[in-house]
Structures are given as structure tokens and as C-alpha cells.
Amino acid sequence: MAANENIPQHVAVIMDGNGRWARKRALPRHAGHRSGVGAVRKTVELAAQRGVQYLTLFAFSSENWSRPREEVSMLMALFIEALQREVDELHRNNVRLEFIGAREQLQPRLVDMIVAAEKQTIDNTGLRLLIAVAYGGRWDIVQAVRKLYGELARDEITADEIDDTAIAHRLQLGDLPDPDLLIRTGGEQRISNFLLWNLAYAELWFCDTLWPDFGEQQFDAALEFYAMRQRRYGHTGDQIEALGS
Ligand code: FPP
């Protein structure tokens, strides 16, 4: 483990800038999304090579449903195409693929493919790749509260048992570790309703690179930034140093 000491266990990514990448080239927005799939492939390879254990990618937010209808359909078609093309290769590389988000909002064909991909890769022991589709951080908290309310009403849990762990357990990431590092491309510096609960202590790294241009140089710069951070979780720097010695 020593070699991986400063490698984040869990990296989350907001892949922003596909539209602007396309506009700069006088191409339609969907050309940017299509090119973004290449950057997804590269990032998955890099994460696995660098020893990251969990990679969560924000592919489609709850708010993205309000984009023009053609863009939404095109994105859904692109997810289907990417699943058709990439899942066997991910499986060969021992990647476990999972999806988070309101899958009941997705078309049945896509849901079937998601379920099949999750089933095919469930026993893989390498990188765990989580794709957030139809996902919003507030939606996630609402669905956790609804689960808790149901359990309370059925007397399966008491109010006293509701704590941080109980809530986290019912969120989409469940008992997976929280992201240590959030990367956002495309120049904006916001969380945009991504994993609101789980990003509480994440280190945040932003770059101007548009998502289709994201690659090794940017990924390694983010990892270097992370390796330099001292994570304090509310403690003082002296306390953390004493713990480390
Ligand atoms: C944000 O750029 C990007 C998206 C809403 C879609 C992300 C999708 C992909 C990278 C394609 C495939 C993904 C997978 C997992 C196969 P934007 O459109 O908001 O760009 P802009 O801010 O420049 O307009």
C-alpha cells in the first residue's frame, strides 16, 4: 500500500465542456459529447493504472433533462452505444461497472443494458467504475429520507438510530468510501448538485481544459495536487501530524 499512500482511493469527476469543445470547432454539440466518450475511456485507464479504486463520473444530471429534446435523446443513444461497445473491454480489464441515479426515469432499453452490464462485471475485483446518470445530489438525499421514513413507519428502525452512517448507507453510494478528490473540467468552480453528502471532505480540483481534451497531463496534475493536500477533517494541522508520527 505504501506506493499508493497519496493516491486518492475514490475520485469523482464532473465532465464539463463538451458543448464548448464542439462550438470552438463549429461542430454540433453532440460531436462534443461523442468526443467526450474518448476522454472517459482514457480516464478509466489512467485511474486503473494509477491505483485509484473507485471512479465516479457525472454523465447526466437530474437537471440535464431540461436540455433540448434532441440533445437528451442523443445523449441517451450515446450511453447505449458506449455500453454496447465498451462493456466487454471493461470486463476483460477486471473493471466493475455500476450506475447511480434515478434509473426509473431512463428508457427501458438503457435500464436493461445497465442491469446486464452490472451483472456481467459484478465479480470483477479491479477498478470500480460508477456512472451517475439522471443523478442529483438533492434527489439522492430525498430518496434516502424516503427509505428511512418507510423503515420508521414499519418499525424497522428507531429515530435514535438515524445518524450519519444510517443516512450514508441509504444514499446511492451506500457503504462505498466518500470521494477523496473531485475533478471538474471546463472552467466552472461549482459542485452542481453532484454527490452533495459524499463530497463533504473531498479535495476540489478545477481546470479549464474542456472534457474531450482531458487526459494524462490533467489527471496527473490533479493527483499531484491531491498528494500535496493535508486532510484535516476538522482537526488542527498539529493533531494530524501527531497522528501520522
Ligand atoms: C457536460 O458538458 C457534459 C455532459 C452533460 C455529458 C457528459 C457525457 C459524456 C462525457 C459522454 C459519455 C459518457 C459516458 C459515461 C459514456 P456540457 O454539454 O455541459 O458542455 P458545455 O458546458 O461546454 O456546454
Side-chain angles (χ1 to χ4, degrees):
M1 263 332 262
N4 281 350
E5 219 168 55
N6 285 326
I7 294 283
Q9 189 182 18
H10 187 167
V11 176
V13 187
I14 300 178
M15 311 180 285
D16 196 12
N18 293 347
R20 279 165 285 160
W21 183 93
R23 196 169 58 228
K24 271 171 63 178
R25 289 162 180 76
L27 294 169
R29 290 179 60 81
H30 68 78
H33 296 314
R34 191 162 281 282
S35 182
V37 181
V40 169
R41 197 179 302 120
K42 231 179 322 173
T43 305
V44 170
E45 278 169 21
L46 285 165
Q49 281 165 12
R50 302 291 187 267
V52 169
Q53 294 172 45
Y54 305 87
L55 177 68
T56 302
L57 304 178
F58 203 6
F60 190 86
S61 73
S62 311
E63 291 72 32
N64 286 153
W65 289 118
S66 48
R67 291 196 171 196
R69 208 156 50 99
E70 315 79 72
E71 182 168 346
V72 172
S73 332
M74 189 271 143
L75 275 166
M76 295 301 145
L78 194 61
F79 296 146
I80 289 176
E81 193 187 312
L83 278 168
Q84 275 165 342
R85 238 193 4 232
E86 309 287 347
V87 174
D88 285 341
E89 172 79 9
L90 290 169
H91 185 45
R92 271 195 298 279
N93 286 297
N94 198 24
V95 173
R96 179 171 173 187
L97 183 60
E98 290 156 272
F99 285 77
I100 59 171
R103 59 178 72 182
E104 67 281 2
Q105 295 174 4
L106 303 173
Q107 43 184 274
R109 177 152 179 246
L110 178 53
V111 177
D112 288 349
M113 294 183 73
I114 285 173
V115 171
E118 288 180 333
K119 198 165 157 211
Q120 185 181 350
T121 60
I122 195 165
D123 292 324
N124 290 345
T125 54
L127 177 74
R128 279 178 78 165
L129 172 60
L130 294 109
I131 311 281
V133 180
Y135 177 86
R138 290 184 176 177
W139 165 84
D140 197 357
I141 293 169
V142 169
Q143 63 85 35
V145 170
R146 284 191 180 148
K147 279 183 200 160
L148 278 170
Y149 182 82
E151 291 168 41
L152 239 123
R154 294 189 298 273
D155 286 330
E156 292 163 9
I157 190 171
T158 64
D160 288 346
E161 286 168 332
I162 299 176
D163 58 9
D164 276 24
T165 313
I167 293 174
H169 180 72
R170 287 156 183 86
L171 291 167
Q172 294 284 291
L173 290 186
D175 298 326
L176 299 188
D178 285 339
D180 305 291
L181 171 67
L182 171 77
I183 295 175
R184 180 175 185 147
T185 62
E188 307 291 355
Q189 304 203 349
R190 3 174 226 271
I191 306 286
S192 294
N193 198 21
F194 198 22
L195 302 157
L196 293 180
W197 176 283
N198 312 83
L199 288 172
Y201 290 105
E203 300 293 339
L204 310 178
W205 188 82
F206 302 99
C207 67
D208 290 333
T209 306
L210 303 176
W211 176 251
D213 294 328
F214 185 84
E216 186 166 9
Q217 192 197 331
Q218 292 77 15
F219 193 73
D220 284 343
L223 293 189
E224 258 168 57
F225 159 85
Y226 177 81
M228 304 288 290
R229 308 301 302 167
Q230 186 192 48
R231 304 184 78 203
R232 291 202 289 270
Y233 300 100
H235 294 82
T236 67
D238 288 348
Q239 283 176 306
I240 297 294
E241 268 158 36
L243 280 172
S245 60

